[in-house]
Amino acid sequence: MKLNGCNPTKLSYRVVEFILTRDIADFESLNVNSIAREFKINRSYLSQRFKRDIKYSLHEYILMIKILRSLTLLEIHENRITIEDLSQKMGFSSSD
């Protein structure tokens, strides 16, 4: 069975690749819904499949990658970027 040209067993790995290759500018709007739309599949199915294959929920994985990218940005900018700016770039609703 194929879904949008990808084998369902490879779906989660394609999603991981999609997340890891996003530009920082894309992170503000990166979430489970936007990924489901990109892959043209049901959000619930995607979340269940990802959890089964990767062992993290898709939401948790996105947050983990956003945090890692945030740390990288902090290091690159030598702490010259504000938490508010970083929070906005990563799509976090607030810096609290």
Side-chain angles (χ1 to χ4, degrees), residues 30-47:
L30 187 66
N31 58 44
V32 176
N33 288 329
S34 67
I35 294 170
R37 278 191 307 272
E38 179 70 27
F39 282 80
K40 296 177 176 65
I41 58 175
N42 180 280
R43 177 192 194 278
S44 295
Y45 174 78
L46 175 61
S47 294

Side-chain angles (χ1 to χ4, degrees), residues 9-18 50 53-54:
T9 60
K10 295 180 182 177
L11 175 63
S12 296
Y13 302 102
R14 291 193 63 217
V15 170
V16 166
E17 179 181 26
F18 176 80
F50 194 89
D53 294 342
I54 306 298

